[in-house]
Amino acid sequence: METTITHQQFLAQATELATRNVLNGGGPFGAVIVTADDQVFEGLNRVTANNDPTAHAEVTAIRAACSATGTFDLTGATLYSSCEPCPMCLASSLWARVAGVYFAADRQDAAAAGFDDAEFYDFFDTPVAERSMPVARLTLGDAGHLAPFTAWAALDSRIEY
Ligand SMILES: [Zn+2]
């Protein structure tokens, strides 16, 4: 099928980027995003290079695509990643309204290489009370916690996303 070949070509491109990135001060991860109108953008892992724990290849690809096309909405785009996206990258893809995600290596491959993707997936499968990092709601009293949403709802110039 022609579509399958195209998917595999972009996936191969993402994986080649990942391998090259290792020799360029980055982690072994690469991504390619193809917008709905067939523009292609690349992303590289730059976590240690930029001291940015969020600079995963998928996120940098999304940022590159959004910056170049002047939008925060990549509806209809397809994301190819050299490795199964971690929960952050998966959520980033959801926020960007990516239509589909394809990956080569999986979270177990990443774990074997020393990366925490599988562990973070486990985090979400662990009951809240037993998680390694506590996340808890604190009370502000009155309706203080709703003030940002009230301000948002009242703003005529808001851009919905
Ligand atoms: Zn990630």
Short mmCIF file of all heavy atoms in Angstrom, two decimals, residues 64-137:
data_model
loop_
_atom_site.label_atom_id
_atom_site.label_comp_id
_atom_site.label_asym_id
_atom_site.label_seq_id
_atom_site.Cartn_x
_atom_site.Cartn_y
_atom_site.Cartn_z
N ALA A 64 8.42 23.45 16.01
CA ALA A 64 8.92 23.91 14.71
C ALA A 64 7.77 24.09 13.72
O ALA A 64 7.70 25.09 13.00
CB ALA A 64 9.95 22.91 14.17
N ALA A 65 6.87 23.12 13.69
CA ALA A 65 5.74 23.18 12.76
C ALA A 65 4.82 24.36 13.08
O ALA A 65 4.40 25.10 12.19
CB ALA A 65 4.96 21.88 12.80
N CYS A 66 4.54 24.54 14.37
CA CYS A 66 3.63 25.62 14.77
C CYS A 66 4.27 26.99 14.52
O CYS A 66 3.61 27.92 14.05
CB CYS A 66 3.27 25.48 16.25
SG CYS A 66 2.16 24.09 16.56
N SER A 67 5.57 27.09 14.84
CA SER A 67 6.26 28.36 14.64
C SER A 67 6.29 28.73 13.16
O SER A 67 6.00 29.87 12.78
CB SER A 67 7.69 28.24 15.20
OG SER A 67 8.40 29.42 14.97
N ALA A 68 6.61 27.77 12.30
CA ALA A 68 6.74 28.04 10.87
C ALA A 68 5.39 28.32 10.21
O ALA A 68 5.31 29.10 9.26
CB ALA A 68 7.43 26.88 10.18
N THR A 69 4.34 27.66 10.69
CA THR A 69 3.03 27.82 10.04
C THR A 69 2.16 28.86 10.75
O THR A 69 1.07 29.17 10.28
CB THR A 69 2.28 26.47 9.99
OG1 THR A 69 2.11 25.98 11.33
CG2 THR A 69 3.04 25.44 9.18
N GLY A 70 2.65 29.37 11.88
CA GLY A 70 1.92 30.43 12.57
C GLY A 70 0.60 29.99 13.16
O GLY A 70 -0.39 30.71 13.11
N THR A 71 0.58 28.78 13.71
CA THR A 71 -0.65 28.30 14.34
C THR A 71 -0.32 27.40 15.53
O THR A 71 0.78 26.87 15.61
CB THR A 71 -1.51 27.50 13.33
OG1 THR A 71 -2.70 27.05 14.01
CG2 THR A 71 -0.77 26.28 12.80
N PHE A 72 -1.26 27.27 16.43
CA PHE A 72 -1.10 26.34 17.55
C PHE A 72 -1.91 25.07 17.30
O PHE A 72 -1.96 24.18 18.14
CB PHE A 72 -1.55 26.98 18.87
CG PHE A 72 -2.93 27.61 18.79
CD1 PHE A 72 -4.06 26.82 18.93
CD2 PHE A 72 -3.08 28.97 18.56
CE1 PHE A 72 -5.33 27.38 18.84
CE2 PHE A 72 -4.35 29.53 18.47
CZ PHE A 72 -5.46 28.74 18.60
N ASP A 73 -2.54 24.99 16.14
CA ASP A 73 -3.47 23.90 15.84
C ASP A 73 -2.99 23.12 14.62
O ASP A 73 -3.04 23.63 13.51
CB ASP A 73 -4.86 24.49 15.59
CG ASP A 73 -5.92 23.42 15.39
OD1 ASP A 73 -5.58 22.26 15.05
OD2 ASP A 73 -7.11 23.74 15.56
N LEU A 74 -2.50 21.92 14.84
CA LEU A 74 -1.97 21.10 13.75
C LEU A 74 -2.97 20.00 13.34
O LEU A 74 -2.57 18.89 12.98
CB LEU A 74 -0.64 20.47 14.17
CG LEU A 74 0.49 21.46 14.48
CD1 LEU A 74 1.72 20.72 14.98
CD2 LEU A 74 0.82 22.32 13.27
N THR A 75 -4.25 20.33 13.40
CA THR A 75 -5.28 19.37 13.01
C THR A 75 -4.95 18.73 11.67
O THR A 75 -4.63 19.43 10.71
CB THR A 75 -6.65 20.08 12.92
OG1 THR A 75 -7.03 20.50 14.23
CG2 THR A 75 -7.72 19.15 12.37
N GLY A 76 -4.98 17.42 11.64
CA GLY A 76 -4.73 16.70 10.40
C GLY A 76 -3.27 16.33 10.19
O GLY A 76 -2.94 15.63 9.24
N ALA A 77 -2.40 16.77 11.10
CA ALA A 77 -0.97 16.45 10.96
C ALA A 77 -0.70 15.02 11.41
O ALA A 77 -1.47 14.43 12.17
CB ALA A 77 -0.14 17.41 11.79
N THR A 78 0.40 14.47 10.92
CA THR A 78 0.84 13.14 11.34
C THR A 78 2.24 13.25 11.93
O THR A 78 3.10 13.92 11.36
CB THR A 78 0.87 12.18 10.13
OG1 THR A 78 -0.42 12.19 9.52
CG2 THR A 78 1.19 10.77 10.59
N LEU A 79 2.42 12.61 13.08
CA LEU A 79 3.71 12.67 13.78
C LEU A 79 4.39 11.31 13.69
O LEU A 79 3.77 10.28 13.95
CB LEU A 79 3.48 13.05 15.25
CG LEU A 79 4.71 13.10 16.15
CD1 LEU A 79 5.63 14.24 15.75
CD2 LEU A 79 4.29 13.29 17.61
N TYR A 80 5.65 11.35 13.29
CA TYR A 80 6.47 10.14 13.23
C TYR A 80 7.60 10.30 14.22
O TYR A 80 8.29 11.32 14.22
CB TYR A 80 7.04 9.94 11.82
CG TYR A 80 5.96 9.85 10.76
CD1 TYR A 80 5.49 11.00 10.13
CD2 TYR A 80 5.42 8.62 10.41
CE1 TYR A 80 4.49 10.93 9.18
CE2 TYR A 80 4.42 8.54 9.45
CZ TYR A 80 3.96 9.69 8.83
OH TYR A 80 2.97 9.61 7.89
N SER A 81 7.80 9.29 15.06
CA SER A 81 8.85 9.39 16.07
C SER A 81 9.72 8.14 16.04
O SER A 81 9.22 7.03 15.85
CB SER A 81 8.23 9.56 17.46
OG SER A 81 9.25 9.62 18.43
N SER A 82 11.01 8.35 16.25
CA SER A 82 11.93 7.21 16.25
C SER A 82 11.61 6.26 17.38
O SER A 82 12.00 5.09 17.35
CB SER A 82 13.37 7.70 16.37
OG SER A 82 13.57 8.34 17.61
N CYS A 83 10.91 6.75 18.41
CA CYS A 83 10.58 5.92 19.57
C CYS A 83 9.18 6.29 20.07
O CYS A 83 8.73 7.42 19.89
CB CYS A 83 11.61 6.15 20.68
SG CYS A 83 11.44 5.03 22.08
N GLU A 84 8.52 5.35 20.67
CA GLU A 84 7.18 5.57 21.21
C GLU A 84 7.16 6.85 22.05
O GLU A 84 7.97 7.01 22.96
CB GLU A 84 6.79 4.38 22.09
CG GLU A 84 5.38 4.46 22.63
CD GLU A 84 5.01 3.19 23.41
OE1 GLU A 84 5.87 2.31 23.60
OE2 GLU A 84 3.84 3.10 23.83
N PRO A 85 6.24 7.76 21.77
CA PRO A 85 6.20 9.01 22.52
C PRO A 85 5.95 8.77 24.01
O PRO A 85 5.14 7.92 24.38
CB PRO A 85 5.03 9.77 21.89
CG PRO A 85 4.89 9.19 20.54
CD PRO A 85 5.26 7.74 20.68
N CYS A 86 6.65 9.53 24.84
CA CYS A 86 6.41 9.47 26.28
C CYS A 86 5.07 10.14 26.58
O CYS A 86 4.47 10.75 25.69
CB CYS A 86 7.55 10.16 27.02
SG CYS A 86 7.47 11.97 26.92
N PRO A 87 4.58 10.06 27.81
CA PRO A 87 3.29 10.68 28.12
C PRO A 87 3.24 12.18 27.80
O PRO A 87 2.22 12.69 27.34
CB PRO A 87 3.13 10.41 29.62
CG PRO A 87 3.87 9.13 29.83
CD PRO A 87 5.08 9.22 28.92
N MET A 88 4.35 12.90 28.03
CA MET A 88 4.38 14.34 27.71
C MET A 88 4.19 14.56 26.22
O MET A 88 3.40 15.43 25.81
CB MET A 88 5.71 14.97 28.15
CG MET A 88 5.88 16.41 27.68
SD MET A 88 7.46 17.15 28.15
CE MET A 88 8.59 16.28 27.05
N CYS A 89 4.90 13.78 25.42
CA CYS A 89 4.82 13.97 23.97
C CYS A 89 3.45 13.53 23.43
O CYS A 89 2.93 14.11 22.48
CB CYS A 89 5.95 13.21 23.29
SG CYS A 89 7.56 13.95 23.65
N LEU A 90 2.91 12.50 24.05
CA LEU A 90 1.57 12.06 23.66
C LEU A 90 0.55 13.15 23.97
O LEU A 90 -0.30 13.49 23.14
CB LEU A 90 1.23 10.78 24.43
CG LEU A 90 0.23 9.84 23.80
CD1 LEU A 90 0.65 9.46 22.39
CD2 LEU A 90 0.08 8.59 24.66
N ALA A 91 0.66 13.74 25.16
CA ALA A 91 -0.25 14.83 25.53
C ALA A 91 -0.02 16.05 24.64
O ALA A 91 -0.97 16.73 24.24
CB ALA A 91 -0.07 15.19 27.00
N SER A 92 1.24 16.32 24.31
CA SER A 92 1.54 17.44 23.41
C SER A 92 0.88 17.21 22.05
O SER A 92 0.36 18.16 21.44
CB SER A 92 3.05 17.59 23.23
OG SER A 92 3.68 17.84 24.47
N SER A 93 0.89 15.98 21.59
CA SER A 93 0.26 15.65 20.32
C SER A 93 -1.25 15.86 20.40
O SER A 93 -1.87 16.35 19.44
CB SER A 93 0.55 14.20 19.95
OG SER A 93 1.94 13.99 19.84
N LEU A 94 -1.83 15.51 21.54
CA LEU A 94 -3.26 15.74 21.72
C LEU A 94 -3.57 17.24 21.71
O LEU A 94 -4.50 17.69 21.04
CB LEU A 94 -3.73 15.12 23.04
CG LEU A 94 -3.81 13.59 23.06
CD1 LEU A 94 -4.01 13.09 24.48
CD2 LEU A 94 -4.93 13.10 22.15
N TRP A 95 -2.75 18.02 22.44
CA TRP A 95 -2.97 19.47 22.46
C TRP A 95 -2.80 20.09 21.08
O TRP A 95 -3.48 21.05 20.74
CB TRP A 95 -2.01 20.15 23.45
CG TRP A 95 -2.47 20.07 24.87
CD1 TRP A 95 -1.90 19.39 25.90
CD2 TRP A 95 -3.62 20.72 25.44
NE1 TRP A 95 -2.62 19.56 27.06
CE2 TRP A 95 -3.68 20.37 26.79
CE3 TRP A 95 -4.62 21.55 24.90
CZ2 TRP A 95 -4.68 20.83 27.64
CZ3 TRP A 95 -5.62 22.01 25.75
CH2 TRP A 95 -5.65 21.65 27.10
N ALA A 96 -1.87 19.54 20.29
CA ALA A 96 -1.62 20.08 18.95
C ALA A 96 -2.67 19.57 17.95
O ALA A 96 -2.67 19.97 16.80
CB ALA A 96 -0.22 19.69 18.48
N ARG A 97 -3.54 18.67 18.41
CA ARG A 97 -4.61 18.09 17.57
C ARG A 97 -4.03 17.27 16.42
O ARG A 97 -4.58 17.25 15.31
CB ARG A 97 -5.56 19.17 17.03
CG ARG A 97 -6.03 20.19 18.04
CD ARG A 97 -6.69 19.58 19.25
NE ARG A 97 -6.99 20.62 20.27
CZ ARG A 97 -7.43 20.35 21.48
NH1 ARG A 97 -7.64 19.11 21.85
NH2 ARG A 97 -7.66 21.31 22.35
N VAL A 98 -2.91 16.61 16.70
CA VAL A 98 -2.31 15.73 15.71
C VAL A 98 -3.29 14.59 15.42
O VAL A 98 -3.97 14.09 16.33
CB VAL A 98 -0.97 15.19 16.25
CG1 VAL A 98 -0.46 14.01 15.43
CG2 VAL A 98 0.08 16.31 16.27
N ALA A 99 -3.37 14.18 14.16
CA ALA A 99 -4.36 13.18 13.76
C ALA A 99 -3.89 11.75 14.00
O ALA A 99 -4.70 10.85 14.20
CB ALA A 99 -4.72 13.37 12.29
N GLY A 100 -2.56 11.54 13.95
CA GLY A 100 -2.06 10.18 14.12
C GLY A 100 -0.59 10.20 14.49
O GLY A 100 0.14 11.12 14.11
N VAL A 101 -0.17 9.21 15.25
CA VAL A 101 1.22 9.11 15.71
C VAL A 101 1.75 7.72 15.36
O VAL A 101 1.09 6.71 15.64
CB VAL A 101 1.30 9.32 17.24
CG1 VAL A 101 2.73 9.17 17.73
CG2 VAL A 101 0.74 10.68 17.64
N TYR A 102 2.93 7.69 14.74
CA TYR A 102 3.56 6.42 14.41
C TYR A 102 4.98 6.40 14.97
O TYR A 102 5.67 7.41 14.92
CB TYR A 102 3.60 6.22 12.89
CG TYR A 102 2.21 6.20 12.30
CD1 TYR A 102 1.63 7.37 11.82
CD2 TYR A 102 1.48 5.03 12.26
CE1 TYR A 102 0.35 7.38 11.30
CE2 TYR A 102 0.19 5.01 11.74
CZ TYR A 102 -0.37 6.19 11.27
OH TYR A 102 -1.64 6.18 10.77
N PHE A 103 5.38 5.27 15.53
CA PHE A 103 6.72 5.19 16.11
C PHE A 103 7.41 3.88 15.73
O PHE A 103 6.76 2.92 15.33
CB PHE A 103 6.66 5.35 17.63
CG PHE A 103 5.84 4.31 18.35
CD1 PHE A 103 6.42 3.12 18.76
CD2 PHE A 103 4.50 4.52 18.63
CE1 PHE A 103 5.68 2.15 19.43
CE2 PHE A 103 3.74 3.56 19.29
CZ PHE A 103 4.33 2.37 19.69
N ALA A 104 8.75 3.86 15.90
CA ALA A 104 9.54 2.68 15.55
C ALA A 104 9.86 1.87 16.81
O ALA A 104 9.21 0.88 17.10
CB ALA A 104 10.81 3.10 14.80
N ALA A 105 10.87 2.30 17.57
CA ALA A 105 11.18 1.61 18.82
C ALA A 105 10.05 1.86 19.82
O ALA A 105 9.30 2.83 19.69
CB ALA A 105 12.51 2.13 19.38
N ASP A 106 9.91 0.96 20.81
CA ASP A 106 8.84 1.17 21.79
C ASP A 106 9.41 1.51 23.17
O ASP A 106 10.63 1.63 23.36
CB ASP A 106 7.89 -0.02 21.84
CG ASP A 106 8.53 -1.29 22.40
OD1 ASP A 106 9.66 -1.20 22.94
OD2 ASP A 106 7.91 -2.36 22.30
N ARG A 107 8.52 1.68 24.14
CA ARG A 107 8.93 2.14 25.48
C ARG A 107 9.89 1.15 26.15
O ARG A 107 10.74 1.55 26.93
CB ARG A 107 7.70 2.42 26.34
CG ARG A 107 6.88 1.19 26.68
CD ARG A 107 5.64 1.51 27.47
NE ARG A 107 4.54 1.96 26.61
CZ ARG A 107 3.29 2.12 27.01
NH1 ARG A 107 2.97 1.90 28.27
NH2 ARG A 107 2.36 2.51 26.17
N GLN A 108 9.75 -0.14 25.84
CA GLN A 108 10.66 -1.13 26.41
C GLN A 108 12.06 -0.99 25.81
O GLN A 108 13.06 -1.13 26.51
CB GLN A 108 10.13 -2.56 26.20
CG GLN A 108 9.14 -3.00 27.27
CD GLN A 108 7.77 -2.34 27.12
OE1 GLN A 108 7.31 -2.13 26.01
NE2 GLN A 108 7.14 -1.97 28.23
N ASP A 109 12.11 -0.68 24.52
CA ASP A 109 13.40 -0.42 23.88
C ASP A 109 14.06 0.78 24.54
O ASP A 109 15.27 0.79 24.79
CB ASP A 109 13.22 -0.15 22.39
CG ASP A 109 12.67 -1.36 21.64
OD1 ASP A 109 13.08 -2.49 21.95
OD2 ASP A 109 11.85 -1.16 20.73
N ALA A 110 13.27 1.81 24.82
CA ALA A 110 13.80 3.02 25.46
C ALA A 110 14.29 2.70 26.87
O ALA A 110 15.35 3.17 27.29
CB ALA A 110 12.73 4.11 25.50
N ALA A 111 13.54 1.88 27.60
CA ALA A 111 13.94 1.51 28.95
C ALA A 111 15.26 0.74 28.93
O ALA A 111 16.15 0.97 29.75
CB ALA A 111 12.84 0.67 29.61
N ALA A 112 15.39 -0.15 27.96
CA ALA A 112 16.63 -0.93 27.85
C ALA A 112 17.82 -0.02 27.56
O ALA A 112 18.95 -0.34 27.91
CB ALA A 112 16.48 -1.98 26.75
N ALA A 113 17.55 1.14 26.93
CA ALA A 113 18.62 2.09 26.61
C ALA A 113 18.84 3.08 27.75
O ALA A 113 19.68 3.96 27.64
CB ALA A 113 18.29 2.83 25.32
N GLY A 114 18.06 2.94 28.85
CA GLY A 114 18.28 3.79 30.02
C GLY A 114 17.35 4.97 30.14
O GLY A 114 17.60 5.88 30.92
N PHE A 115 16.25 4.99 29.39
CA PHE A 115 15.32 6.11 29.45
C PHE A 115 14.04 5.73 30.20
O PHE A 115 13.68 4.56 30.27
CB PHE A 115 15.01 6.61 28.03
CG PHE A 115 16.23 7.19 27.37
CD1 PHE A 115 17.03 6.39 26.55
CD2 PHE A 115 16.61 8.50 27.59
CE1 PHE A 115 18.18 6.91 25.95
CE2 PHE A 115 17.76 9.03 27.00
CZ PHE A 115 18.55 8.23 26.19
N ASP A 116 13.37 6.76 30.76
CA ASP A 116 12.31 6.53 31.74
C ASP A 116 10.90 6.44 31.16
O ASP A 116 9.93 6.47 31.91
CB ASP A 116 12.33 7.65 32.78
CG ASP A 116 13.52 7.53 33.71
OD1 ASP A 116 14.01 6.40 33.90
OD2 ASP A 116 13.96 8.56 34.24
N ASP A 117 10.76 6.36 29.85
CA ASP A 117 9.42 6.38 29.25
C ASP A 117 8.47 5.36 29.87
O ASP A 117 7.34 5.69 30.25
CB ASP A 117 9.51 6.13 27.75
CG ASP A 117 10.45 7.09 27.07
OD1 ASP A 117 11.66 7.02 27.36
OD2 ASP A 117 9.98 7.92 26.28
N ALA A 118 8.94 4.12 30.00
CA ALA A 118 8.08 3.06 30.54
C ALA A 118 7.72 3.36 31.99
O ALA A 118 6.58 3.17 32.41
CB ALA A 118 8.77 1.70 30.42
N GLU A 119 8.72 3.86 32.74
CA GLU A 119 8.47 4.19 34.15
C GLU A 119 7.41 5.28 34.28
O GLU A 119 6.56 5.24 35.17
CB GLU A 119 9.79 4.67 34.77
CG GLU A 119 9.73 4.93 36.26
CD GLU A 119 11.06 5.46 36.80
OE1 GLU A 119 12.11 4.97 36.33
OE2 GLU A 119 11.03 6.36 37.64
N PHE A 120 7.42 6.27 33.38
CA PHE A 120 6.44 7.34 33.46
C PHE A 120 5.05 6.85 33.04
O PHE A 120 4.04 7.32 33.57
CB PHE A 120 6.88 8.54 32.61
CG PHE A 120 8.10 9.24 33.17
CD1 PHE A 120 8.84 10.09 32.38
CD2 PHE A 120 8.51 9.04 34.48
CE1 PHE A 120 9.97 10.74 32.89
CE2 PHE A 120 9.63 9.67 35.00
CZ PHE A 120 10.37 10.53 34.20
N TYR A 121 5.01 5.92 32.11
CA TYR A 121 3.71 5.33 31.78
C TYR A 121 3.16 4.60 33.01
O TYR A 121 1.98 4.69 33.32
CB TYR A 121 3.83 4.36 30.60
CG TYR A 121 3.62 5.01 29.27
CD1 TYR A 121 4.69 5.30 28.43
CD2 TYR A 121 2.35 5.37 28.84
CE1 TYR A 121 4.51 5.91 27.20
CE2 TYR A 121 2.14 5.99 27.62
CZ TYR A 121 3.23 6.25 26.79
OH TYR A 121 3.03 6.87 25.60
N ASP A 122 4.05 3.92 33.73
CA ASP A 122 3.64 3.21 34.95
C ASP A 122 3.10 4.19 35.99
O ASP A 122 2.18 3.85 36.74
CB ASP A 122 4.83 2.43 35.55
CG ASP A 122 5.22 1.24 34.70
OD1 ASP A 122 4.42 0.86 33.82
OD2 ASP A 122 6.33 0.71 34.90
N PHE A 123 3.69 5.39 36.02
CA PHE A 123 3.24 6.41 36.97
C PHE A 123 1.73 6.63 36.85
O PHE A 123 1.00 6.70 37.84
CB PHE A 123 4.00 7.72 36.70
CG PHE A 123 3.56 8.90 37.54
CD1 PHE A 123 4.17 9.16 38.77
CD2 PHE A 123 2.56 9.75 37.12
CE1 PHE A 123 3.79 10.24 39.53
CE2 PHE A 123 2.16 10.82 37.88
CZ PHE A 123 2.78 11.07 39.10
N PHE A 124 1.26 6.73 35.60
CA PHE A 124 -0.16 7.01 35.39
C PHE A 124 -1.04 5.79 35.68
O PHE A 124 -2.23 5.93 35.92
CB PHE A 124 -0.40 7.52 33.96
CG PHE A 124 0.19 8.88 33.74
CD1 PHE A 124 1.38 9.04 33.05
CD2 PHE A 124 -0.43 10.02 34.26
CE1 PHE A 124 1.94 10.30 32.87
CE2 PHE A 124 0.12 11.27 34.08
CZ PHE A 124 1.31 11.42 33.39
N ASP A 125 -0.42 4.62 35.64
CA ASP A 125 -1.18 3.40 35.95
C ASP A 125 -1.19 3.09 37.45
O ASP A 125 -1.86 2.15 37.88
CB ASP A 125 -0.57 2.20 35.20
CG ASP A 125 -0.81 2.29 33.71
OD1 ASP A 125 -1.79 2.96 33.31
OD2 ASP A 125 -0.02 1.71 32.94
N THR A 126 -0.42 3.88 38.23
CA THR A 126 -0.33 3.66 39.67
C THR A 126 -1.42 4.49 40.37
O THR A 126 -1.64 5.64 39.99
CB THR A 126 1.06 4.11 40.18
OG1 THR A 126 2.05 3.37 39.47
CG2 THR A 126 1.21 3.87 41.67
N PRO A 127 -2.09 3.92 41.37
CA PRO A 127 -3.08 4.71 42.11
C PRO A 127 -2.46 6.01 42.65
O PRO A 127 -1.29 6.01 43.07
CB PRO A 127 -3.48 3.79 43.26
CG PRO A 127 -3.19 2.41 42.76
CD PRO A 127 -2.00 2.54 41.85
N VAL A 128 -3.22 7.10 42.61
CA VAL A 128 -2.72 8.43 42.97
C VAL A 128 -1.96 8.42 44.30
O VAL A 128 -0.88 9.00 44.41
CB VAL A 128 -3.88 9.44 43.03
CG1 VAL A 128 -3.42 10.78 43.58
CG2 VAL A 128 -4.46 9.63 41.62
N ALA A 129 -2.51 7.73 45.30
CA ALA A 129 -1.91 7.74 46.64
C ALA A 129 -0.55 7.04 46.69
O ALA A 129 0.23 7.27 47.61
CB ALA A 129 -2.85 7.08 47.64
N GLU A 130 -0.27 6.21 45.70
CA GLU A 130 0.98 5.43 45.72
C GLU A 130 2.03 5.97 44.75
O GLU A 130 3.10 5.38 44.58
CB GLU A 130 0.67 3.98 45.35
CG GLU A 130 -0.25 3.28 46.33
CD GLU A 130 -0.79 1.97 45.76
OE1 GLU A 130 -0.12 1.37 44.91
OE2 GLU A 130 -1.91 1.57 46.16
N ARG A 131 1.74 7.08 44.10
CA ARG A 131 2.65 7.57 43.07
C ARG A 131 3.93 8.15 43.69
O ARG A 131 3.91 8.68 44.80
CB ARG A 131 1.97 8.64 42.21
CG ARG A 131 0.94 8.05 41.29
CD ARG A 131 0.27 9.11 40.46
NE ARG A 131 -0.71 8.52 39.56
CZ ARG A 131 -1.57 9.22 38.85
NH1 ARG A 131 -1.57 10.54 38.92
NH2 ARG A 131 -2.43 8.61 38.07
N SER A 132 5.01 8.06 42.91
CA SER A 132 6.33 8.50 43.39
C SER A 132 6.41 10.01 43.55
O SER A 132 7.20 10.51 44.34
CB SER A 132 7.41 8.04 42.40
OG SER A 132 7.10 8.49 41.09
N MET A 133 5.61 10.77 42.81
CA MET A 133 5.58 12.22 42.93
C MET A 133 4.17 12.64 43.34
O MET A 133 3.21 12.42 42.59
CB MET A 133 5.94 12.88 41.59
CG MET A 133 5.93 14.40 41.65
SD MET A 133 6.21 15.16 40.01
CE MET A 133 4.66 14.78 39.17
N PRO A 134 4.03 13.20 44.55
CA PRO A 134 2.68 13.59 44.97
C PRO A 134 2.13 14.74 44.13
O PRO A 134 2.86 15.68 43.81
CB PRO A 134 2.86 14.02 46.43
CG PRO A 134 4.31 14.34 46.58
CD PRO A 134 5.05 13.51 45.56
N VAL A 135 0.87 14.61 43.79
CA VAL A 135 0.15 15.68 43.10
C VAL A 135 -1.14 15.86 43.87
O VAL A 135 -1.96 14.94 43.91
CB VAL A 135 -0.16 15.32 41.64
CG1 VAL A 135 -0.93 16.43 40.95
CG2 VAL A 135 1.13 15.02 40.88
N ALA A 136 -1.31 17.00 44.52
CA ALA A 136 -2.46 17.16 45.41
C ALA A 136 -3.12 18.51 45.23
O ALA A 136 -2.45 19.51 44.98
CB ALA A 136 -2.01 17.00 46.86
N ARG A 137 -4.42 18.51 45.36
CA ARG A 137 -5.15 19.76 45.30
C ARG A 137 -5.12 20.42 46.66
O ARG A 137 -5.28 19.76 47.69
CB ARG A 137 -6.60 19.47 44.90
CG ARG A 137 -7.40 20.75 44.75
CD ARG A 137 -8.81 20.49 44.30
NE ARG A 137 -9.44 21.74 43.88
CZ ARG A 137 -10.70 21.85 43.52
NH1 ARG A 137 -11.48 20.79 43.53
NH2 ARG A 137 -11.19 23.02 43.14
#
